[in-house]
Amino acid sequence: MPTSKRLKNQGISDVLARQRELIARELLEGTGAGIAVGLVAGELRQGIRIWFSELGEKHGPVAEILPHGLKSHSVRLFFGSFSGSTLSKIRMAGKEETALARALFRSISPDRKVEIRGQDPLSWLVLDGGFEATALYRHDRHKPDTEEAIVATCREVIVPMMAAMAELIGYDPVNDPVPDTAPEFEGMLSRVVVNRRERNLRNRLLCIRLHGHRCAVCRADPHDVYGDAGSIIEVHHLEPLALLSSPRPYDPVSDLVPLCPCCHRAVHTKRPVPHTPEELAEIMRRKDG
């Protein structure tokens, strides 16, 4: 092996050794599933391959990052050779899960050039093992072999892609309490449904990707106060107990907003219909005024 190629491969191996835990943690927080990370050999340089540890590399979705040119990463999401059981689960996914999975893909910046082979990027489905999604992430400030570039590609592309797959597969890290399941008024959503949506890690991931970590009421970002310990923003369902004249499809893009823990508790002090974020913000303004 030429010396230059050996040094590049050693470089990305060192990066992986240092960043494996960080990559796995970010993916766990976004997907709710255990993640395995390994190396993959490219034509000239090594890359990274990521899969769900419970399923193994050959029995489910796999995300691959390879250096592309001098400044970019190419990303490919595909299914292992023996994914039949996992694909059967995905084909059973409901409308709500499918809507969230598609929204997670749409949350990836258009600059990343996401494409889904043979399908419309807005209405794609995982129909069989031939499903493949690709993206290209250009790094203007860091070379693709650096830690900064690899972590950025994972955070901005791999996490939402794998979170979408986790949603379709049905990973559910949330153990809902089982209080009253019946709506208080006809047309309301049950508390169990609301809890499930608010506590779903993929919903939280999408909400933060779209709206950021800043509370929609007090406008505080917990990271400004707590630093690395500030990843405590919560997701609030805007229509948890709204009186609906008729049911409508759940929209994870417009139905969820980020709230800090204090404001989230405060909106729910009004029952059965919680305060809206706007109402709570007005209460705060009146108190300060």
Side-chain angles (χ1 to χ4, degrees):
M1 180 186 294
T3 301
S4 60
K5 180 178 179 182
R6 185 168 60 250
L7 289 174
K8 286 179 179 178
N9 285 347
Q10 183 61 46
I12 199 165
S13 297
D14 291 343
V15 168
L16 179 59
R18 290 192 297 270
Q19 295 297 332
R20 186 191 299 266
E21 184 178 346
L22 173 61
I23 292 168
R25 185 173 68 247
E26 290 216 2
L27 281 155
L28 174 62
E29 291 176 356
T31 66
I35 294 293
V37 184
L39 288 174
V40 59
E43 291 183 6
L44 296 176
R45 289 178 283 181
Q46 284 184 319
I48 292 175
R49 185 169 282 181
I50 296 164
W51 61 92
F52 294 126
S53 54
E54 179 184 320
L55 296 176
E57 189 175 356
K58 296 183 181 297
H59 297 274
V62 179
E64 192 174 86
I65 306 172
L66 286 169
H68 181 86
L70 297 177
K71 292 188 174 182
S72 299
H73 280 142
S74 65
V75 175
R76 185 167 72 102
L77 177 72
F78 60 96
F79 281 82
S81 304
F82 303 100
S83 298
S85 177
T86 302
L87 290 165
S88 295
K89 291 181 180 178
I90 288 177
R91 284 192 290 268
M92 295 174 63
K95 292 181 179 179
E96 186 166 318
E97 292 77 17
T98 301
L100 177 53
R102 289 171 176 168
L104 284 162
F105 262 70
R106 292 198 305 274
S107 75
I108 302 172
S109 169
D111 293 342
R112 311 306 176 220
K113 298 180 172 58
V114 175
E115 295 183 357
I116 299 174
R117 184 170 63 184
Q119 295 197 57
D120 187 318
L122 300 180
S123 58
W124 57 268
L125 291 169
V126 178
L127 300 173
D128 53 42
F131 178 88
E132 181 178 283
T134 59
L136 191 65
Y137 192 146
R138 179 180 172 86
H139 295 277
D140 293 323
R141 300 175 64 182
H142 304 286
K143 292 182 179 180
D145 293 331
T146 62
E147 295 181 31
E148 293 85 356
I150 292 170
V151 170
T153 298
C154 285
R155 182 175 294 150
E156 297 302 322
V157 181
I158 299 295
V159 169
M161 280 188 173
M162 291 297 278
M165 295 300 106
E167 183 67 14
L168 294 174
I169 292 169
Y171 282 114
D172 189 4
V174 175
N175 293 317
D176 285 321
V178 190
D180 50 339
T181 59
E184 297 190 45
F185 294 110
E186 184 176 357
M188 288 183 177
L189 294 174
S190 75
R191 172 50 55 186
V192 167
V193 171
V194 173
N195 285 347
R196 176 170 55 81
R197 290 176 179 173
E198 290 189 344
R199 298 180 187 184
N200 183 313
L201 293 179
R202 277 87 66 179
N203 273 333
R204 182 179 185 275
L205 171 67
L206 177 66
C207 186
I208 290 173
R209 287 180 63 82
L210 295 177
H211 304 295
H213 287 266
R214 198 166 296 280
C215 175
V217 175
C218 68
R219 306 308 301 163
D221 182 340
H223 289 102
D224 294 340
V225 179
Y226 304 110
D228 292 341
S231 296
I232 59 173
I233 205 74
E234 297 179 356
V235 169
H236 173 60
H237 194 306
L238 285 174
E239 199 176 40
L241 296 174
L243 301 179
L244 302 178
S245 57
S246 60
R248 68 169 179 78
Y250 164 66
D251 184 350
V253 174
S254 60
D255 290 351
L256 303 173
V257 294
L259 295 182
C260 70
C262 290
C263 289
H264 199 190
R265 290 285 297 275
V267 297
H268 285 291
T269 58
K270 180 186 175 189
R271 298 181 179 179
V273 182
H275 291 292
T276 66
E278 293 77 14
E279 288 172 346
L280 187 60
E282 178 60 27
I283 291 171
M284 294 173 67
R285 281 192 292 270
R286 289 202 304 267
K287 179 181 177 300
D288 293 338

